[in-house]
Structures are given as C-alpha cells and as structure tokens.
Amino acid sequence: MAEKQVNSQLEQFSYDDGIVRKFFFATVLWGAVAFLVGVIIALQMANWKFNFGLQWITFGRLRPLHTNAAIFAFAGNAVFAGIYYSSQRLLKARMFSDLLSCIHFWGWQLIIVSAALTLPFGITVGKEYAELEWPIDIGITVIWVVFAVNFFGTIFRRRERHIYVAIWFYIATIVTVAILHIVNSINLPVSIWKSYPIYAGVQDALVQWWYGHNAVAFFLTTPFLGLMYYFMPKAAGKPVYSYRLSIVHFWALVFLYIWAGPHHLLYTSLPDWAQTLGSVFSVVLIAPSWGGMINGLLTLRGAWHRVREEPVLKFFVAGVTFYGMSTFEGPMMSIKSVNLLAHYTDWIIAHVHGGALGWNGFMTFGMLYWLVPKLWKTKLYSTALANAHFWLGLFGIVLYMLSMWAAGITQGLMLRGLDPTGHLLYPDFVETVTKIAPLFWIRLIGGLMFFTGFLLMIYNLIKSISGAEAAEAVVHSEPRLSPAPAIGVKPGESPHRIIEGLPAIFTVLTVVAVLVASAMSLLPALLSEDLVEANPAFKPYSALELQGRDLYVREGCYLCHSQMIRPTHAETLRYGPASLSQESMYDHPFQWGSKRTGPDLARVGGKYPDLWHFRHMMDPREVVANSIMPTYPWLYSQKTDFGVLQKKLSVMKSIGVPYTAEEIEKAEPNAREQAKRIAEGLSASGVNVDIADKEIVALISYLQKLGRDYRNMTAAPGGAK
Amino acid sequence: MSDDKEKLLDHLYDGIQELDNRLPAWWVGLFYLTIAWAVGYFYYYNIGSGPTLGQELREEQNQWALIQAKNPTAAGGGADEEAVLAAVIKDESRIKHGKEMFATKCLACHGPLGGGGIGPNLTDNFWIHGSKPTQIANIIRTGVNDKGMPPWGPLLKPEEVHSLVAFVKSLKGTNPPGAKAPQGNEEK
C-alpha cells in the first residue's frame, strides 16, 4: 500500500480515489434506474394500463423498487462516494483498508441487485423503506458494519487531530442507521423469502415510523449535510459561515430528529400524547434544520456572482434551498389540523419529492459535476449542458410539486367535504380520484423533465470522462499524530473542541443522544397500558385469511389503501367508526398505509359480497366505474400455497398471536375447507370455474375479515361501546 | 474576506476554513419560540383543557346531530316519510335523478337495468325485505350487512335516497334481458 514511514516525523500516503470513482459510477447508474422506475409508476398512476397486465411491474410491486432505488441505491451510493472522497482528505489518511472499501462497494451493489430481483416478485416484508426480506437485511447489516469499521479505522489512523463538522455528520449517519435498521428489521423467518416482523399493529406502526422518519433524517439528511459542509466551501472557495452554528445545529438535529416519527401517525389509534409528542418535536426541528441551510447559504457570501456562472454552485444553492423548504413544510404538516388535510394525500408525495429530487438529487448532481475534474484528468465537457440540466431539473421539480400539492389539497378537501345537513359532498371515493387524475399527467411531465435533465448529465459525464485518464494519486507527507490525545483547548476556543479531538468520545456521545431520544420516544408508548387494551372480540386471522393477507402485502395493496379510519366525522361517515388499536393487534406487519389512492379498507369486510370482490380484482371498472386501480388477473390462475400455512401459523404463534395447537396442526385442512366454502358461494352466484385453490379466494377471505370482528362486537348485545 | 471583523478560526481542513460568527439572533429566537410553542401545544392537548381526539370527534358528531335534530328529514326516515315518498315516486324528475345515481352506485351489483347480478333482481314482484317505498328507503339507508348491501345512509342525502326509491319502484315489470331468478316473497 502507499503508506510507508519515511522517518519518525513524516509519513507518506496517498488517497484512494479508485473507490470514489466506483461509487461515482454506481450513483449515476442507479439514479437512472430509480428515476426511470419513478417515471413508469407515474405513468401507471395516470393510466392504469401501463403495467401491460404484467404482475412484476404492477404499481404495488414497482413502487417499493422506486423508493428503495432512489434512497438506498442512488442516494446511498452518492453518500458513499462523497464520504470516501471527503473523509480521506479531512482526516489526512487513506481509507483504513482498501479491501474493506472494495467489500463495501460490491456488497452494497449486491444488496441493490437483490432488491431489484426480489421486489418485482412481491418478496417484501410490507413495511415502507424496510421492504427487503431478512436475508438481504442481514446483508445490509454486514456491509454497514464493514463500512463502519473502514470509516472508524480511518479516523483512528487520521493525521488531523480534530474532526471537522462533515465528519460529525458522517459519524451520526453510520451509528444511527445501524441502530434504526437493526431494531426495525427484527423479523422471524417462515422461509428463505418470507418473514414476519415481531412487532404488531400499533407497536409495529410506532417502530416503523421511528425508523421511516429517521431514515429520512439519517440516510437522506445528515450525510448530505456532511457532504454540504465539505463540497460547498470547497466549490465556493469561502470559509464556512459559523462554526458555532455547526455545533448547535448538529447536536440539536441529532437529538431532536429521533422524536418526530409519530407525526406519520397523527389521527390514528396511537395514544394521543404520543402523537402530540411527534407534532411538537417536528416543529422544534425547524431551527436546527435551518441551521444547516443558513450555514450553507451564508458560506456563499461574496461568491454569489459565481453562482451565475458555475453549475456546481447552482445545484448546491437550489439543493440547500429545497432543504430549507422541506424542513419548514414537514413541521407544518405535523401540526394536527394541517395533517388532518394533508395525510394520506398527494401532498405527502409533493413533500418527499421536494426533499428527494431537490435536496438529495441536486446536492448529488452538484457533487458529481464538481468531482469530474478531480477524479479524472479532464474538465467538464459542457457547462451549457450542465446549466440546461439544472433548469430542466428545477422546472421539473416545480411542476411535480405544484401538481401534487394541488392534487393533495383538492382530494383532501373533497374527502372531508360536508353539505349543510352533515352529509358527505362526495360520497363516492372514486369521484375524488377522477377529479385529480389530470394532475397525474402533469406530474409525469415534471418527472420526465427531471429525468431528461439527468440524461443530459450522463451524456455530459460520458463526454467528459471518455478517453480521460484517472487522476494520478498524489503522494502526501504528513506527520503522524502523537498517540497521546491532546486534551484541552486554546484560550478563546469552544470547549466543544475537546471532543472534536476525541472521536471515540464524540461517537459515544452521539450514540447516547440517539439512544436516549429513541428510548424516551418509543418505550413509554410501547410499554403503556393503554396502547392495546386486550379484547377477546378481536380474533386472529384464519389460516386462509393469513395467506390472503400475505398476498395483500405481496401485491403492495398498502401503497394505495389505508387500514386506519381516522377519528373525524367525515371519515366515520365514509368508512364507519374510527379504528381501534385492537383491530390491528395481530397484524405482523401493520398495514395502516400512508397514502390513499383508493379508499380505506379497515372495515371493507362484509361491505360487499364475495362476488363483488371476485369481479373487482379481475377488472375494478366492472364494479366501480372510472376506477384507476390496475387489474389482477394472475390471482385467478396462481394457486394458493396451502402447504406453508402450518409453518406460518406456528411462526405467528411464536411472536404472540394466540393460535391453539389444533389450529396450527389443522392449518392446511382448515384453509382448504374455508376456500371451498367461498368457492361454493361464488359458484352459486354464477362463477363457473373451480377456483377454490386459487389465490383470489384467499385474498377475498382476507378482505372479508377486515372489520368483521368489530362488526360482530358492536352487533352483540351490550357489545357496542 | 467579506467582513474583516469576522473571526477566522485557525482550523484548516483540506483547505476549508471556518468563521466563528455568532448564531443569528433571529435563528436563536425562532428556536426558542418553537420550543415555547411545543411546550404550550403539548400542555394544552395532553395536560390542560384541550380536547382529546375522541372528544374532538364526539363534539363534531354532536354538532351535526343537533343540526339534523332541528331538521328531522335531514337524517331521513321522518314521521311523514310515507307521504313524502308517495309524491316522490310519481315525480318524473325524481325518477330521472334516481336513475343517474343508480348508474354510479347500484349498477355494479343490481345490473344496469336493475335485473340483478351480485345483488337481487329489482324488476320482478319478489322482495326479500319488502316492497313498500319506506321499506326500500330503509334498506338503502341501513344496508344488509351479511348480504353485502352497504349502508348508504351515511353517504347519501335523504332526497337522494328518495329519488333512488322512485327509480327502483319505476323498474317493476320491466323484465330486462338476463334478469336474475326471483328471491324473497312475492308481493303484488
């Protein structure tokens, strides 16, 4: 390796930029995949026919592929490229181990490929952004540990006494993502590609959104802030505006972000106080988030004239501005009254894309353009093309967000609209969808513009790099750090400087902040007596219903349908009395959903006859005119896997679902019996094919179970609350 | 340097320098303000007199119940419904109104011409739950749970239910092609 000791004072070393180039290419490749799949599912929203009747590319299966590709493949590789480039320079040390760098790179790509090869087949846990099944989860854990060892090893070997703010953010990212991923992915396997989360219902919801929200915080925010702190001052040639602000906003962000997860669960059956905590911590996050924006934008003082000429700075300025907007919009949407309108609508979609395309996308693009002449002996092929990319991307995002804001607010208002006598103004859910369908086309145009800009970048990068040699590794000479840590600060220096010189202590403090916040925000609710009041009226799923539920998860139904009737007058008129926490107490995983492109299904059981569902899944428009739901013809030819049910029930029992030994023993015959009854009923109403062993019957049994126990409880004498 | 009074720290990381500017006053103010708001908001809703989500819902439902109590027909099924319906079922404009709603809400189960399908035939003389206008109105409002007829009462206005009754009554004897076999009791 390039390190060798010249004398006792100076060491010679060089940086590993080969690994940065690898992550650079991976970022571009997976970005193309993520955006292309995004465009495809946007097209499917505008017109349901665009899955061409193929189950593998139906919306419910492609949507997780889109989100996983955007977050873990595109943003993930961008983060790694940026971290590997900047950390070596900020720490004045080559990465700890070239082998670990290599394992990290190829391991991560393997995880992405596994995701791309499983999600289209409906292999999913059914929890948003944590869809990947347990073998891949284990792979993620291993590769993340490899990354952590490599990163902390580099810190250990550093030749810079103090760690710079970018490194603080990288540390927070690495330790927190590990904690989030492990805690939320504790699933018990049924088979190699099927597992159930150990949490159920409201607990699963709480853990999932602690994870989901903080994935945004620690996978899409803190690492990008770290990148900003490196690449922004480098590109602008200006000092960072305020070191003190860095300190305050770093610690505030790390501690406060963790608490905000329950803002995804407002107006649900989560206890009120836990919901309110989520709301207030979200609002308190505005200033810490804006601390990063201020430090970024004010770093450009005196360099604003260069923003006009330099595409890199344009992307950074717009990216940081989108960050500021998103971190204001998010807290506003966490206030109960705003959330009541925004939740479950396209407003959320607008919000996340402001963050993903504007902040993560533009910061990444700026970084890639900046890195080209550093990583290769070349210069950017065309500034004009990069500028065109910027403007196309910017207008694409604006079009995207405006259309989805309009769609979300329109649908939100229609869904709760009441006439003067207290009746729903739009009783048919589908009316609210057909109203906003034209906006799905506008969104598609916005997405296409963003994608086109990205393709211009690819062309520009290829033209810049092709034929160019990789930049030669420069050999640096630096003294090694004395092993004794220098504790203490110079006069006038902040005491924070002490822990900047002690990265181990710094890391421990970060972990403590994250763990304390996690424990305080999760444990009281998880241990609270009133979380789920036991009620014998609510029974576990029968074996066939459980199998149907797994199909519901496989097809990604939860991505368009919620199972949570919120406690408002309009919702209770539309769907029935507000959902109780007991109703999902056996739901591993919970399926409350986060978006309603279709109506809530918490009480759909018994609302329609089996024949209705039979026709509906074949072609929704047969029973709901103007429905935009795709067709599911494969459910009518694929056979139900009855053989696995005994195993499934016994796994469910081991995570707390009270199945009797007999129910487990007889899982298969019981399921066949129930399927036969449903098929006979269908046959009596004119269905002339034998379908008892087909998947559609299992799905129907599950849909008919939804809300059945609640109805029986309220129908029983003295049962109504 | 844009402002030479600013203090440049002697940190240098790969050429990056840091200034030691004070925290912007408005930023600090905003931070304190949101913390104060958070304390107040939490106190109001979870310790003080603010309503719980359940109370909010009951309050909202009570308000609507009051409005509907003042205007009995608003909820449907008022004492004079029989008389109201007797007039409505003869009103051609109401039958037409009912037909429009039938096409979006009932067609899927009762067939485009009311001949039945998933649900029973509405054009013959056989009725499972009675053929009187008030009986039909009640079934539309409350549904038939175990048969999969959804309750439309929470979704439709009383006059919409009445128009549907008028349309259904107008179907008698139309005998559309492919009509479902009779179910229930014959009523002349």
Side-chain angles (χ1 to χ4, degrees):
Chain A
M1 218 132 299
E3 291 205 19
K4 78 173 195 258
Q5 202 158 331
V6 175
N7 57 42
S8 61
Q9 256 73 51
L10 284 181
E11 289 176 324
Q12 291 197 319
F13 59 95
S14 65
Y15 300 132
D16 179 7
D17 284 344
I19 187 69
V20 184
R21 281 186 286 268
K22 284 200 186 84
F23 278 117
F24 180 104
F25 286 130
T27 305
V28 175
L29 172 70
W30 295 121
V33 173
F35 302 147
L36 178 65
V37 177
V39 167
I40 293 171
I41 60 176
L43 182 61
Q44 292 175 344
M45 288 286 282
N47 188 324
W48 62 271
K49 287 181 188 136
F50 282 98
N51 60 21
F52 306 105
L54 300 173
Q55 54 180 314
W56 310 280
I57 57 163
T58 295
F59 182 87
R61 300 205 195 170
L62 275 194
R63 198 267 199 178
L65 189 65
H66 167 62
T67 52
N68 278 280
I71 299 169
F72 300 109
F74 168 67
N77 277 303
V79 163
F80 299 142
I83 289 181
Y84 275 82
Y85 184 86
S86 60
S87 298
Q88 299 186 76
R89 287 157 173 86
L90 291 169
L91 298 167
K92 288 188 184 158
R94 190 182 179 88
M95 288 312 294
F96 176 66
S97 155
D98 284 8
L99 177 66
L100 289 182
S101 300
C102 189
I103 295 173
H104 175 200
F105 175 78
W106 288 109
W108 195 256
Q109 310 316 313
L110 186 66
I111 287 163
I112 297 167
V113 171
S114 325
L117 290 179
T118 53
L119 293 172
F121 292 93
I123 295 169
T124 169
V125 176
K127 291 171 59 153
E128 282 181 83
Y129 325 123
E131 287 96 348
L132 301 176
E133 266 297 352
W134 66 274
I136 308 177
D137 276 344
I138 291 173
I140 294 171
T141 311
V142 170
I143 296 303
W144 200 261
V145 169
V146 166
F147 173 40
V149 170
N150 205 13
F151 179 81
F152 286 107
T154 312
I155 290 184
F156 182 72
R157 294 219 183 137
R158 73 195 188 281
R159 297 179 184 85
E160 184 76 70
R161 170 67 63 197
H162 297 94
I163 52 173
Y164 174 60
V165 52
I167 302 289
W168 312 348
F169 278 103
Y170 301 158
I171 290 174
T173 300
I174 293 171
V175 298
T176 313
V177 169
I179 297 168
L180 294 169
H181 171 69
I182 291 170
V183 172
N184 188 49
S185 302
I186 307 180
N187 305 333
L188 215 58
V190 173
S191 63
I192 178 86
W193 292 126
K194 181 72 202 166
S195 66
Y196 295 121
I198 60 161
Y199 318 100
V202 61
Q203 295 181 334
D204 195 34
L206 194 60
V207 174
Q208 159 62 23
W209 284 114
W210 164 80
Y211 163 86
H213 178 72
N214 289 301
V216 174
F218 290 90
F219 206 93
L220 298 175
T221 303
T222 53
F224 280 88
L225 283 170
L227 300 183
M228 180 198 82
Y229 273 112
Y230 180 79
F231 291 100
M232 184 79 113
K234 288 294 273 189
K238 293 283 174 188
V240 171
Y241 174 69
S242 170
Y243 164 68
R244 291 185 219 184
L245 185 58
S246 301
I247 297 172
V248 177
H249 101 96
F250 171 80
W251 287 107
L253 210 58
V254 167
F255 182 70
L256 296 172
Y257 234 123
I258 295 287
W259 297 75
H263 69 207
H264 292 257
L265 301 167
L266 300 184
Y267 285 96
T268 65
S269 49
L270 187 71
D272 278 27
W273 59 268
Q275 298 185 29
T276 314
L277 267 187
S279 293
V280 299
F281 273 93
S282 306
V283 172
V284 173
L285 268 169
I286 297 175
S289 303
W290 278 8
M293 174 181 71
I294 296 167
N295 241 353
L297 292 181
L298 292 186
T299 296
L300 289 171
R301 289 174 313 157
W304 282 99
H305 59 284
R306 293 190 43 220
V307 174
R308 230 174 305 137
E309 300 139 22
E310 182 55 65
V312 171
L313 288 178
K314 272 199 192 77
F315 277 110
F316 284 165
V317 167
V320 171
T321 307
F322 273 112
Y323 174 64
M325 279 168 53
S326 295
T327 53
F328 179 72
E329 187 188 25
M332 291 303 109
M333 295 163 91
S334 304
I335 295 171
K336 289 188 198 200
S337 47
V338 183
N339 187 276
L340 189 56
L341 177 66
H343 192 48
Y344 286 132
T345 75
D346 282 303
W347 188 348
I348 309 295
I349 315 299
H351 173 64
V352 298
H353 283 84
L357 303 177
W359 162 240
N360 302 122
F362 272 21
M363 293 306 287
T364 300
F365 302 151
M367 181 183 85
L368 295 179
Y369 282 121
W370 188 84
L371 279 173
V372 167
K374 306 290 187 294
L375 296 175
W376 285 273
K377 284 183 192 165
T378 186
K379 59 187 188 54
L380 190 63
Y381 168 69
S382 164
T383 304
L385 271 182
N387 279 325
H389 174 196
F390 174 79
W391 290 111
L392 262 175
L394 185 65
F395 282 112
I397 300 173
V398 169
L399 210 52
Y400 191 114
M401 293 181 73
L402 286 177
S403 61
M404 288 300 97
W405 275 332
I409 292 168
T410 303
Q411 192 181 24
L413 289 174
M414 286 176 86
L415 284 173
R416 71 185 203 181
L418 297 172
D419 73 5
T421 61
H423 283 80
L424 291 171
L425 276 172
Y426 304 95
D428 293 334
F429 188 92
V430 72
E431 288 179 272
T432 69
V433 181
T434 42
K435 184 82 176 175
I436 60 172
L439 292 165
F440 292 153
W441 288 105
I442 312 263
R443 179 251 304 267
L444 177 64
I445 295 170
L448 275 172
M449 287 171 70
F450 187 87
F451 188 48
T452 309
F454 182 76
L455 294 178
L456 290 184
M457 182 186 81
I458 295 185
Y459 176 76
N460 207 352
L461 295 180
I462 291 174
K463 292 296 270 186
S464 311
I465 294 168
S466 62
E469 280 175 57
E472 276 160 32
V474 179
V475 177
H476 302 267
S477 297
E478 289 285 338
R480 74 188 304 174
L481 285 188
S482 65
I487 299 173
V489 287
K490 293 179 204 158
E493 271 193 336
S494 152
H496 192 263
R497 195 78 179 144
I498 299 172
I499 58 168
E500 290 166 33
L502 301 166
I505 306 289
F506 192 98
T507 306
V508 169
L509 289 175
T510 308
V511 172
V512 168
V514 168
L515 286 182
V516 166
S518 296
M520 289 172 73
S521 61
L522 285 180
L523 290 182
L526 289 181
L527 303 175
S528 153
E529 290 284 317
D530 61 351
L531 194 62
V532 185
E533 209 179 307
N535 186 328
F538 297 101
K539 300 184 177 64
Y541 299 100
S542 76
L544 186 69
E545 290 156 6
L546 183 64
Q547 186 67 2
R549 184 169 206 275
D550 288 340
L551 295 174
Y552 183 96
V553 169
R554 182 187 81 186
E555 300 302 341
C557 304
Y558 63 97
L559 297 166
C560 289
H561 293 280
S562 58
Q563 289 185 20
M564 175 47 64
I565 303 169
R566 308 176 88 192
T568 74
H569 185 52
E571 296 243 336
T572 55
L573 283 179
R574 192 177 293 280
Y575 304 117
S579 288
L580 306 175
S581 57
Q582 293 99 324
E583 287 178 85
S584 46
M585 67 192 287
Y586 301 126
D587 286 6
H588 301 264
F590 81 114
Q591 291 287 283
W592 295 359
S594 62
K595 171 79 190 351
R596 284 177 183 158
T597 305
D600 187 273
L601 299 180
R603 303 270 169 70
V604 77
K607 187 174 177 188
Y608 308 107
D610 290 352
L611 185 60
W612 188 96
H613 290 290
F614 186 83
R615 290 201 187 156
H616 183 248
M617 300 303 294
M618 183 69 95
D619 181 4
R621 282 144 296 279
E622 263 200 44
V623 285
V624 181
N626 300 322
S627 169
I628 64 163
M629 180 168 140
T631 58
Y632 290 83
W634 54 89
L635 297 175
Y636 298 76
S637 57
Q638 290 174 183
K639 289 189 173 174
T640 303
D641 182 0
F642 288 103
V644 75
L645 288 173
Q646 191 177 341
K647 181 76 187 289
K648 281 188 172 175
L649 262 64
S650 73
V651 169
M652 280 290 186
K653 185 177 168 68
S654 64
I655 48 180
V657 182
Y659 287 117
T660 62
E662 198 198 343
E663 282 168 329
I664 295 171
E665 177 76 18
K666 292 192 175 162
E668 182 173 348
N670 286 348
R672 287 189 186 276
E673 175 58 30
Q674 191 182 357
K676 196 168 141 240
R677 278 203 310 276
I678 293 172
E680 280 167 2
L682 284 169
S683 157
S685 23
V687 174
N688 292 324
V689 282
D690 181 23
I691 43 137
D693 62 342
K694 301 298 188 296
E695 290 181 336
I696 181 67
V697 172
L699 183 62
I700 289 175
S701 76
Y702 169 63
L703 292 172
Q704 296 290 28
K705 154 84 174 178
L706 293 175
R708 190 174 66 208
D709 294 338
Y710 180 86
R711 208 174 58 236
N712 291 342
M713 176 183 81
T714 46
K721 285 202 171 179
Chain B
M1 196 64 313
S2 57
D3 181 352
D4 52 9
K5 275 180 278 182
E6 289 181 333
K7 182 176 158 204
L8 197 58
L9 295 167
D10 66 351
H11 312 168
L12 189 70
Y13 298 98
D14 192 29
I16 298 172
Q17 290 181 293
E18 291 174 287
L19 294 166
D20 198 24
N21 280 308
R22 296 166 62 92
L23 306 178
W26 66 267
W27 182 85
V28 177
L30 177 70
F31 200 8
Y32 286 139
L33 194 70
T34 56
I35 291 171
W37 179 88
V39 171
Y41 192 84
F42 190 86
Y43 183 88
Y44 174 72
Y45 278 109
N46 297 95
I47 299 163
S49 59
T52 66
L53 296 185
Q55 286 166 348
E56 248 174 60
L57 173 62
R58 277 191 293 280
E59 178 70 16
E60 202 186 350
Q61 286 173 328
N62 289 342
Q63 278 174 10
W64 286 112
L66 274 179
I67 289 169
Q68 293 180 343
K70 281 184 205 145
N71 176 12
T73 57
D80 58 344
E81 185 165 49
E82 199 169 339
V84 172
L85 275 170
V88 167
I89 61 173
K90 291 182 195 128
D91 184 339
E92 283 300 323
S93 69
R94 297 296 292 275
I95 294 174
K96 187 163 167 283
H97 180 219
K99 187 177 181 180
E100 286 160 10
M101 283 198 301
F102 190 90
T104 59
K105 295 174 176 62
C106 320
L107 171 150
C109 292
H110 292 286
L113 300 170
I118 294 171
N121 185 347
L122 301 174
T123 64
D124 56 15
N125 289 334
F126 291 81
W127 294 87
I128 302 170
H129 304 285
S131 68
K132 276 195 229 160
T134 48
Q135 288 172 318
I136 297 174
N138 277 332
I139 288 294
I140 293 173
R141 276 193 293 261
T142 59
V144 186
N145 233 332
D146 46 339
K147 290 287 170 57
M149 166 83 184
W152 291 96
L155 300 178
L156 298 182
K157 292 172 206 149
E159 52 277 20
E160 290 176 325
V161 172
H162 289 171
S163 299
L164 274 172
V165 173
F167 176 67
V168 169
K169 289 302 283 181
S170 79
L171 291 171
K172 184 173 171 177
T174 52
N175 196 23
K180 206 176 173 187
Q183 291 166 285
N185 308 313
E186 186 163 16
E187 296 190 22
K188 290 280 162 66

